[in-house]
Amino acid sequence: QVQLVESGGGLVQPGGALRLACAASGFTLDRHTIGWFRQTPGKEREGVSCISNNEGNTYYAAFVKGRFTFSKANAENTVFLQMDSLKPEDTAVYYCAATPREVCDPWMDYWGKGTLVTVSS
């Protein structure tokens, strides 16, 4: 019943842009802490961005700050990750996740299956 579905991944050239979407079913995203994570083979999953279920505070990892923007479309129960100025090192499977708790950490309750982003010439 509870489901998160990512979309928008694909192949893009360095310096290009992609907009990822995460649609929720079975619960209301606006009442949850929501995070974007990414994982590359051989590396641990890392946090990219997060909006806490508190006062709507938004956090960004240092490696994406100034390039990525986390936004919400509450009426559509969907969140977005606008990714600009993409670099080859951004290549990864991107996941969205959620928890009713108010803290941004890796211990999320709900996870999507991920969408692949490949940045290459």
Side-chain angles (χ1 to χ4, degrees):
Q1 184 180 33
V2 173
Q3 188 175 28
L4 292 168
V5 179
E6 304 95 336
S7 62
L11 176 64
V12 64
Q13 296 182 3
L18 286 173
R19 190 190 193 197
L20 305 184
C22 175
S25 301
F27 69 102
T28 301
L29 273 177
D30 191 48
R31 299 180 181 180
H32 288 71
T33 292
I34 313 158
W36 285 97
F37 299 81
R38 70 186 189 185
Q39 188 168 28
T40 300
K43 297 179 61 178
E44 294 184 350
R45 183 171 56 206
E46 58 186 355
V48 176
S49 184
C50 183
I51 298 179
S52 63
N53 182 29
N54 191 317
E55 297 294 330
N57 299 312
T58 305
Y59 304 93
Y60 296 95
F63 53 82
V64 303
K65 190 173 297 183
R67 299 188 297 122
F68 292 8
T69 304
F70 195 166
S71 63
K72 301 170 62 179
N74 292 334
E76 300 174 350
N77 207 25
T78 301
V79 300
F80 302 92
L81 184 67
Q82 178 67 45
M83 306 186 297
D84 298 323
S85 302
L86 284 163
K87 305 175 181 179
E89 52 263 42
D90 294 319
T91 296
V93 176
Y94 284 73
Y95 302 87
C96 66
T99 177
R101 297 179 293 109
E102 296 183 333
V103 60
C104 286
D105 62 27
W107 303 103
M108 298 291 186
D109 295 285
Y110 315 121
W111 291 85
K113 293 183 178 180
T115 185
L116 177 62
V117 172
T118 302
V119 184
S120 176
S121 298

